[in-house]
Amino acid sequence: MLTINNLTKKYGDIKAVDNLSLEIKPGEIYGFIGPNGAGKTTTLKSVTGILDFDEGEIFIDGLSIKDAPLECKKKFAYIPDNPDLYGYMKGSAYLNFVADIFGISTEKRNTLIEKYAGLFELTDDLATPISAYSHGMKQKLAIISAWIHDPKLIIMDEPFVGLDPKASHTVKEMMREVCDNGGAIFFSTHVLEVAEKLCDKIAIIKEGKLIRSGTMEEVRGDESLENVFLELA
Amino acid sequence: MIKILLKKELKEFLSPIVINRKTNKPRSRAALFALTALLLLAAAATGASFYFLCMFFSEITLAFGLDWLYFVLVAVLSLMIGVIINVFATFNALFSAKDNDLLISMPLKPSQILSARMISLYLLGTLFTAIVWVPGLIRYWIAGSPSFLSVVFGILLLFVVSAFVLVISCLLGWVVGLITSRLRNKAVFTTILYFLLFGLYYVVYFKMSDILRNLAENIDSFERSMSGYLNPFYLIGKAAAGDVLCMIIIFCLAAAVTAVCIFVLSRSFIKISTSNKGAKKKAYDKEDNSFKKPESALFAKESKRFFGTPIYLFNSGLGVILMIVLAVIVIVKSNDIVAFLHMLDVTVPWLGDGMSVILGVIGMMLISTIAISAPSVSLEGNTLWILKTLPISEKQIFSAKLKLHIMMNTIALIALLAAVAIAFRPELPEMIVLSAFLIIYMLFEAYLGLVTGLTHPVLDWSNETVPVKQSMGVLICMLGGWGIAALVAGLYAVLFISLEINFITPILYLAIWTVIIGLLVLYMEKWLGTKGAKKFREL
């Protein structure tokens, strides 16, 4: 679903990501962990086409993000670490905007908005301008907008920040549902307990370099993920 | 602490001038000099119009030895202009800044946050006040009998008058803040206020000749009403004329009201900045969900931002209202205009012959004030990631931004062309060429705005005033447009009036410009598809 080959991204002379390679297959929840400034967000932004990169290749469902950016973008959804959304729009207007871009029919969007807004208890706030939303509400709206077009791959940067426990639980269930239906999830997190329980595979990045990756068992062995992380990072 | 906050404020205030947004590095000295010269030129051009007004003031006051009264009039004008320009910038900077929450959460007193912001606003207000006050001083130095003290006090009083501009702007901004904190739809209320205030300005502007005539006829009673040490204007007038005691009193008064203003605003700063009460929830209705094509969705998004962002709507859309108002006035006064044109034909034949060029140049100057596409890229700000991760091409994004600009301009342009057709009654070929010229020029401004918005983006703003009012793209678009209008008019004057050439007609002259500007539009269209798209991806 997502193949990253020898990705290198520089800011001036500094390598934010250094020769990183990963492969995320359909059905996998892939966690991406590392200390602050390790290069997680830069990697995710390179995958989504927000940032251009210097070396390497990124393929989404077999298509290169550099050569066929629009086709790639039709296949994934991205949720950034800070959900800055259009404050001048109402929540429902934003969801409709995203649905329009992906060509989602009125019937389908009605069903999905009802389903996910209901799950996040956001239905009553959909007619409110986003500028009046709290961080958590914006995060919920960003998540709904990602799920509204049924993407094959969902890329999330720290998706649980700002969410209440109930919403976090809902997101985890939604993530598993995507993978059960043949999709894939690639997300960064600092919450190691979540990564340990939720992820099928995990990658640890430090100073732009991949220092360990694989299934949860391969990465942590008999230790806890926290201990492995503290040793490596 | 205020020093640190002030540094932050000044950095943001000066960043459009000092920082090159292309490279995110400080501008070279040469570029800085050129930019400063350009800004000074614009200020001088505006100041010149106030100088002429001050000439009138001087005639009805200085001739009778009423030097202080002359400065009263200049001070009233300075205050009015300063406050009108500054009031909404003040509201946005004080109560709507994006970093208010962050600063409030820090161990800072509201008075410290406010003081730093007010100093920055004070500098901005001083620049606006200077546009009126300095020409007033120059006029006094030329036509009056300035003493050493009056020269020194005159210069110092710029800073005193600016303090009053700041205080009045802050208090009006505070009232706006108090009202909007209780409203659900703040944008609509703020926009209406914008237009009301500016409408008031134009009413005064258009009634200026009546006001001045009344003033000249009743100068004695005006003098009596303004006299008295309890009247700040009297104190300013007397101080500017060289009165030491008045200078001391007005200086202390300005300092005192500024301190009181900071005290009053500090007490409600947190409440206004963070208040959201009165925002009643509206029920979600799935009937509002309807399918749109991506292009329509992008256009709807641009429209929502334009109509939902008061400062954007006001600054970039004011020209549309002005053009429509002007069109209505021209239609109403069409009989007078026809009579005037007949008179011109007799007295100044070359002017009558070149009417299509004159109308074209006026149209260009009006169109240049409508900068909708110019700040549209910068206004994406922190939300730029949305457009960059959705499956939409740069072409689709640019088209939506251009479409909004073109649609808003088209409404105004149709009104203006209809007014020209009714009032000036040009012949059909003249009307066709003039229409084509203005339509092509309108497209040129739309494309120029988008191009300069991409080459000079400001994405890290903390309130919309920065991209809408202070970004380089908007400045280039407006001043560049006026520059081209001046070129069209200047070249016409040289060719047809000085050199008296007759092998091309004024209509052909306009047609040639239509082709030239059309070619520039085509070039920019191509640039947007290639380099412009690349620039957008790199943002």
Side-chain angles (χ1 to χ4, degrees):
Chain A
M1 184 63 70
L2 171 65
T3 307
I4 303 172
N5 287 336
N6 309 109
L7 175 70
T8 298
K9 168 70 189 171
K10 292 179 194 168
Y11 291 115
D13 295 332
I14 299 162
K15 282 185 178 175
V17 181
D18 187 1
N19 201 31
L20 184 137
S21 296
L22 281 177
E23 183 163 13
I24 295 149
K25 291 177 182 156
E28 284 180 350
I29 297 181
Y30 209 117
F32 198 33
I33 60 175
N36 293 330
K40 298 187 294 296
T41 298
T42 301
T43 303
L44 297 184
K45 284 187 173 176
S46 299
V47 170
T48 56
I50 293 175
L51 287 178
D52 199 6
F53 45 91
D54 300 290
E55 289 167 33
E57 285 176 310
I58 294 170
F59 296 98
I60 293 167
D61 207 16
L63 295 166
S64 164
I65 187 75
K66 273 200 169 170
D67 299 336
L70 294 194
E71 287 308 307
C72 286
K73 288 174 186 179
K74 282 178 187 167
K75 294 173 188 288
F76 73 76
Y78 170 65
I79 300 163
D81 53 348
N82 199 359
D84 287 308
L85 307 174
Y86 300 130
Y88 51 87
M89 281 189 187
K90 291 173 188 169
S92 57
Y94 179 68
L95 295 178
N96 273 291
F97 169 70
V98 176
D100 285 333
I101 298 293
F102 283 92
I104 308 298
S105 69
T106 309
E107 294 75 27
K108 190 175 177 186
R109 76 179 67 174
N110 278 343
T111 310
L112 291 175
I113 290 174
E114 201 173 322
K115 176 184 171 185
Y116 293 119
L119 281 174
F120 285 117
E121 296 170 349
L122 202 67
T123 311
D124 290 344
D125 297 295
L126 286 179
T128 304
I130 296 171
S131 56
Y133 279 24
S134 68
H135 180 94
M137 287 162 79
K138 283 184 195 165
Q139 185 74 354
K140 287 175 184 177
L141 193 71
I143 291 168
I144 298 172
S145 72
W147 256 258
I148 205 170
H149 56 90
D150 215 6
K152 285 187 170 182
L153 171 68
I154 299 177
I155 300 155
M156 299 189 281
D157 198 352
E158 296 286 351
F160 303 105
V161 173
L163 292 181
D164 56 64
K166 194 176 173 189
S168 290
H169 178 75
T170 304
V171 173
K172 286 174 210 164
E173 288 193 332
M174 284 163 63
M175 288 164 78
R176 181 49 65 197
E177 193 185 349
V178 168
C179 294
D180 289 346
N181 292 328
I185 306 270
F186 183 37
F187 77 105
S188 73
T189 185
H190 286 298
V191 191
L192 298 180
E193 292 79 9
V194 169
E196 203 162 10
K197 284 179 187 163
L198 192 65
C199 298
D200 302 307
K201 283 186 179 171
I202 206 143
I204 302 175
I205 183 174
K206 185 186 176 187
E207 291 169 1
K209 289 182 180 166
L210 188 70
I211 51 174
R212 193 171 287 188
S213 67
T215 62
M216 193 58 71
E217 290 72 29
E218 286 168 349
V219 170
R220 70 177 182 189
D222 294 331
E223 293 186 70
S224 71
L225 185 60
E226 189 177 20
N227 284 341
V228 174
F229 182 81
L230 291 173
E231 270 174 38
L232 296 172
Chain B
M1 195 60 78
I2 287 180
K3 211 171 152 187
I4 298 168
L5 288 170
L6 186 61
K7 206 172 159 188
K8 179 199 92 65
E9 292 295 326
L10 291 179
K11 232 176 180 175
E12 188 171 339
F13 176 66
L14 292 172
S15 70
I17 297 168
V18 178
I19 304 292
N20 182 339
R21 294 289 170 180
K22 264 196 227 171
T23 57
N24 265 333
K25 287 178 182 168
R27 287 184 200 279
S28 65
R29 279 189 183 181
L32 206 58
F33 178 77
L35 186 60
T36 312
L38 190 72
L39 290 172
L40 285 175
L41 192 70
T46 317
S49 64
F50 289 113
Y51 181 83
F52 290 116
L53 208 53
C54 293
M55 280 173 75
F56 179 83
F57 291 163
S58 67
E59 278 168 25
I60 60 170
T61 54
L62 298 182
F64 304 100
L66 296 169
D67 294 24
W68 68 271
L69 196 59
Y70 168 78
F71 281 108
V72 168
L73 293 169
V74 178
V76 170
L77 191 66
S78 304
L79 268 174
M80 197 180 88
I81 300 296
V83 169
I84 286 175
I85 299 175
N86 231 17
V87 64
F88 285 102
T90 305
F91 168 67
N92 282 315
L94 291 185
F95 301 113
S96 295
K98 274 190 178 176
D99 56 357
N100 269 351
D101 289 355
L102 177 70
L103 294 179
I104 288 168
S105 71
M106 289 180 169
L108 297 166
K109 290 178 189 165
S111 59
Q112 288 175 319
I113 303 170
L114 270 169
S115 300
R117 293 232 163 106
M118 283 173 74
I119 293 170
S120 168
L121 283 167
Y122 175 68
L123 293 176
L124 188 69
T126 304
L127 292 177
F128 291 135
T129 311
I131 290 172
V132 184
W133 186 259
V134 171
L137 275 185
I138 293 170
R139 178 64 196 158
Y140 180 69
W141 294 339
I142 291 169
S145 44
S147 63
F148 172 74
L149 275 182
S150 73
V151 171
V152 174
F153 288 172
I155 295 167
L156 288 177
L157 278 164
L158 167 65
F159 302 99
V160 172
V161 174
S162 304
F164 286 112
V165 167
L166 175 75
V167 169
I168 297 169
S169 303
C170 284
L171 292 177
L172 285 176
W174 176 62
V175 173
V176 173
L178 270 180
I179 297 170
T180 53
S181 69
R182 286 167 169 76
L183 293 177
R184 192 167 63 84
N185 204 334
K186 296 177 184 186
V188 171
F189 173 77
T190 316
T191 307
I192 291 169
L193 267 184
Y194 271 129
F195 282 106
L196 279 179
L197 203 60
F198 226 75
L200 177 73
Y201 169 77
Y202 272 93
V203 167
V204 173
Y205 184 82
F206 286 116
K207 291 271 176 194
M208 189 53 89
S209 58
D210 292 341
I211 294 169
L212 293 177
R213 196 175 55 243
N214 279 334
L215 193 65
E217 285 167 3
N218 303 300
I219 195 74
D220 292 340
S221 59
F222 184 69
E223 182 197 350
R224 277 194 299 278
S225 66
M226 279 291 159
S227 298
Y229 282 90
L230 290 176
N231 187 335
F233 287 114
Y234 177 75
L235 293 168
I236 292 172
K238 290 292 275 184
D243 189 311
V244 179
L245 180 65
C246 287
M247 184 67 205
I248 293 168
I249 298 172
I250 196 68
F251 185 82
C252 293
L253 187 65
V257 292
T258 307
V260 170
C261 180
I262 293 174
F263 175 75
V264 170
L265 296 187
S266 303
R267 289 175 69 88
S268 54
F269 176 67
I270 294 176
K271 197 177 165 190
I272 295 175
S273 303
T274 56
S275 177
N276 205 15
K277 67 182 171 185
K280 284 178 193 165
K281 270 186 190 173
K282 219 178 136 188
Y284 161 68
D285 185 357
K286 71 177 179 183
E287 295 302 315
D288 294 340
N289 300 342
S290 60
F291 179 84
K292 282 194 210 78
K293 283 182 178 173
E295 289 78 11
S296 306
L298 285 167
F299 177 68
K301 164 195 157 306
E302 293 296 328
S303 305
K304 275 184 186 131
R305 182 171 55 202
F306 181 65
F307 290 105
T309 315
I311 196 146
Y312 185 26
L313 178 60
F314 178 72
N315 274 278
S316 306
L318 183 67
V320 177
I321 304 284
L322 286 182
M323 274 171 80
I324 294 170
V325 169
L326 189 69
V328 172
I329 293 171
V330 167
I331 291 169
V332 171
K333 300 268 181 187
S334 60
N335 287 337
D336 297 344
I337 290 168
V338 170
F340 178 67
L341 289 177
H342 279 306
M343 189 194 79
L344 272 187
D345 264 347
V346 177
T347 53
V348 201
W350 58 264
L351 198 61
D353 292 343
M355 193 47 71
S356 54
V357 177
I358 294 168
L359 290 172
V361 169
I362 293 170
M364 286 173 90
M365 296 188 81
L366 288 169
I367 290 168
S368 303
T369 61
I370 308 172
I372 295 173
S373 60
S376 64
V377 172
S378 296
L379 280 167
E380 297 293 343
N382 290 337
T383 62
L384 189 65
W385 69 271
I386 300 172
L387 293 182
K388 290 180 95 174
T389 55
L390 290 175
I392 38 176
S393 64
E394 288 80 15
K395 192 181 173 185
Q396 286 172 304
I397 296 166
F398 296 164
S399 295
K401 293 181 185 300
L402 289 171
K403 196 174 164 187
L404 179 69
H405 184 112
I406 292 166
M407 268 192 73
M408 294 307 298
N409 269 270
T410 304
I411 298 165
L413 200 53
I414 288 172
L416 198 68
L417 287 172
V420 166
I422 293 166
F424 293 87
R425 296 168 199 174
E427 290 176 4
L428 188 62
E430 200 178 0
M431 191 65 210
I432 291 171
V433 171
L434 181 64
S435 304
F437 173 74
L438 288 177
I439 290 167
I440 291 291
Y441 183 73
M442 180 257 283
L443 291 177
F444 171 79
E445 274 289 310
Y447 276 86
L448 181 68
L450 194 53
V451 168
T452 52
L454 281 164
T455 52
H456 299 81
V458 188
L459 295 165
D460 53 351
W461 41 267
S462 61
N463 75 69
E464 285 99 350
T465 312
V466 177
V468 171
K469 285 183 93 167
Q470 296 165 11
S471 68
M472 192 51 64
V474 174
L475 196 71
I476 292 172
C477 218
M478 285 183 74
L479 295 182
W482 290 346
I484 296 169
L487 182 68
V488 173
L491 199 61
Y492 174 78
V494 171
L495 291 177
F496 292 86
I497 300 165
S498 298
L499 300 177
E500 294 181 352
I501 63 155
N502 52 15
F503 58 89
I504 53 170
T505 60
I507 298 177
L508 186 59
Y509 176 76
L510 264 195
I512 292 168
W513 271 110
T514 309
V515 173
I516 293 169
I517 295 171
L519 289 173
L520 288 172
V521 172
L522 288 176
Y523 173 75
M524 286 192 283
E525 162 79 21
K526 200 178 171 204
W527 186 91
L528 284 174
T530 52
K531 288 182 181 170
K534 189 168 176 276
K535 280 210 171 289
F536 185 81
R537 285 194 291 274
E538 289 168 356
L539 289 177

